[in-house]
Amino acid sequence: MISILHSIQDWAVNFFGLDDLIKIIRSGDYSTFRTLKGILAIVAPLFPILLLMEFLMACLYRKLKMIDYKISFFSYVLNMAIGRFISIAMVSYCIGLFSPHALFKSAFTWYWFLYGYVIWEFAHFIYHFLAHKIRLLWCLHSTHHAPEQMNLSVSYAHFFLEAPYADLIRTSICILMGVDPPVLFLIMFVDGFWGGMIHIGETLGKRARCGPFYRFIMTPSHHRVHHGRNPLYMDTNFCNLLNIWDRIFGTYQPETDEVPIEYGITRPIQENSFLDAYFGEIVLLAKDISKAPGLKNKLLYLVKPPGWSHTGEHKTASLIRRSYLKSKKDLETLGK
Ligand SMILES: [Zn+2]
Ligand SMILES: [Zn+2]
């Protein structure tokens, strides 16, 4: 019984990110709170506390549907068992492998932090863009897009191999571009925190546009757009905190009041099925590959965007969005 209580306590300390905070309090050296380490120890539990608050508020307003948390919850449990460890191993491996080939060496200063963040955001854009545009990688990423409601728990909805894939791309690019590993870890912390916060649901943040910052950063509103399956919103807003790369690569899309966001992926998902959200895309890819004639077509299914078909009847996100924008433009021209 006592060992079960200890396990629950360990899990709670881990889930709420309280480890460092407890260590500092136990040491009695409160001056640590004035250092970066102390500040990070205070910030770490904020996200899980907000998640809990959002959950409790949904209960209070009688809006809570356990089903909205199902995909996230099971993904969290699965990833806790394996995904996290592979991801940490991948980061260490990439740092060791690419550090000797870095373009130059940088240091732990505020300006190298800013440089590192722009590079990180670029690397994040690349990982995320490819995750939407290459069918095999979409199989890893689609779990995150499966939930049809938005709340903070969605930031836990990931296929277990997605984090190692993301870390392979992001860590390799940053290390090769000379980002100092301690700076990289700080960036990962900020990115992880904000990456969770942008999933805030309407219970805690109705419009969540962050006032004047809307123009410069990726707000929850922008990320809600990214989770939209509406033709206008598909495959847009790939950045996480800074929106510069979406603006440069033409994938920036603000939320518009005329198009209310419909969350989820375009294919019908078996209602309330975690297994379909987690493995559904892999099953569909395997079916397409087995039906495709010839080795070339089979291989193309792996690397072409979701919606590509060997018959030529493509239904990719780019085609759907382009045809939506064209018909909207045609209607506007007719109206003039
Ligand atoms: Zn995505
Ligand atoms: Zn998301």
Side-chain angles (χ1 to χ4, degrees):
M1 184 67 189
I2 291 188
S3 71
I4 295 174
L5 286 176
H6 273 302
S7 305
I8 294 173
Q9 188 188 7
D10 287 349
W11 169 82
V13 167
N14 201 294
F15 179 77
F16 285 99
L18 293 167
D19 221 12
D20 288 338
L21 196 63
I22 291 171
K23 271 185 205 153
I24 294 171
I25 292 170
R26 278 199 183 137
S27 76
D29 181 11
Y30 297 115
S31 62
T32 313
F33 287 123
R34 274 183 261 132
T35 66
L36 181 62
K37 191 183 166 209
I39 294 167
L40 297 185
I42 295 170
V43 174
L46 289 183
F47 177 76
I49 288 171
L50 276 172
L51 171 67
L52 186 67
M53 263 175 67
E54 192 182 58
F55 187 83
L56 294 175
M57 277 172 76
C59 290
L60 198 72
Y61 297 149
R62 294 179 193 280
K63 277 199 226 159
L64 183 76
K65 284 192 238 130
M66 288 313 280
I67 221 70
D68 295 348
Y69 287 82
K70 189 177 169 187
I71 296 171
S72 310
F73 175 75
F74 284 109
S75 303
Y76 169 75
V77 173
L78 255 170
N79 294 346
M80 197 170 62
I82 27 180
R84 242 182 50 197
F85 302 103
I86 311 179
S87 180
I88 294 168
M90 184 60 87
V91 171
S92 323
Y93 177 71
C94 292
I95 291 177
L97 188 67
F98 293 113
S99 284
H101 308 290
L103 280 181
F104 52 84
K105 287 225 173 309
S106 64
F108 197 95
T109 60
W110 66 268
Y111 49 87
W112 282 121
F113 173 78
L114 294 183
Y115 164 80
Y117 216 104
V118 173
I119 299 295
W120 168 270
E121 199 67 79
F122 172 72
H124 180 88
F125 182 95
I126 299 289
Y127 128 70
H128 199 178
F129 183 82
L130 295 180
H132 278 250
K133 300 296 185 189
I134 293 182
R135 180 91 181 260
L136 185 65
L137 300 177
W138 173 245
C139 290
L140 310 185
H141 186 55
S142 65
T143 307
H144 183 59
H145 283 269
E148 295 184 333
Q149 292 295 326
M150 183 56 70
N151 58 59
L152 287 172
S153 82
V154 172
S155 66
Y156 291 104
H158 286 282
F159 190 77
F160 81 102
L161 285 176
E162 190 184 12
Y165 152 62
D167 285 329
L168 168 73
I169 303 276
R170 296 185 299 197
T171 311
S172 306
I173 292 179
C174 286
I175 294 296
L176 283 171
M177 294 301 286
V179 180
D180 191 29
V183 172
L184 181 64
F185 293 136
L186 179 59
I187 291 170
M188 283 174 167
F189 180 87
V190 178
D191 179 84
F193 177 72
W194 191 248
M197 291 298 290
I198 51 180
H199 294 95
I200 211 161
E202 293 191 2
T203 321
L204 275 187
K206 183 87 184 118
R207 283 167 67 81
R209 296 192 183 191
C210 304
F213 296 106
Y214 191 73
R215 289 182 56 185
F216 310 105
I217 64 165
M218 297 310 283
T219 65
S221 163
H222 289 108
H223 197 65
R224 286 173 188 176
V225 163
H226 178 72
H227 277 264
R229 61 175 166 217
N230 317 58
L232 176 64
Y233 296 150
M234 287 167 86
D235 284 13
T236 59
N237 296 353
F238 293 104
C239 289
N240 200 47
L241 171 63
L242 310 171
N243 62 37
I244 58 169
W245 298 107
D246 276 309
R247 288 187 187 270
I248 289 172
F249 293 121
T251 48
Y252 179 74
Q253 174 63 53
E255 185 177 353
T256 92
D257 291 336
E258 297 96 72
V259 184
I261 300 169
E262 287 170 34
Y263 295 112
I265 51 180
T266 48
R267 74 173 170 91
I269 260 200
Q270 277 175 44
E271 217 182 340
N272 307 331
S273 165
F274 162 71
L275 288 178
D276 193 13
Y278 209 80
F279 297 107
E281 289 295 321
I282 299 173
V283 173
L284 289 174
L285 174 59
K287 276 186 187 163
D288 280 343
I289 290 175
S290 76
K291 270 192 276 169
L295 184 63
K296 189 184 164 196
N297 280 318
K298 289 184 193 300
L299 291 174
L300 283 175
Y301 268 111
L302 293 173
V303 293
K304 286 285 186 182
W308 179 88
S309 167
H310 70 276
T311 61
E313 291 167 43
H314 309 307
K315 287 184 194 135
T316 62
S318 319
L319 286 174
I320 294 170
R321 186 162 191 263
R322 223 177 296 153
S323 104
Y324 170 83
L325 291 173
K326 190 178 173 301
S327 60
K328 199 172 162 242
K329 209 170 166 196
D330 290 348
L331 277 174
E332 278 166 11
T333 323
L334 274 173
K336 274 180 192 166

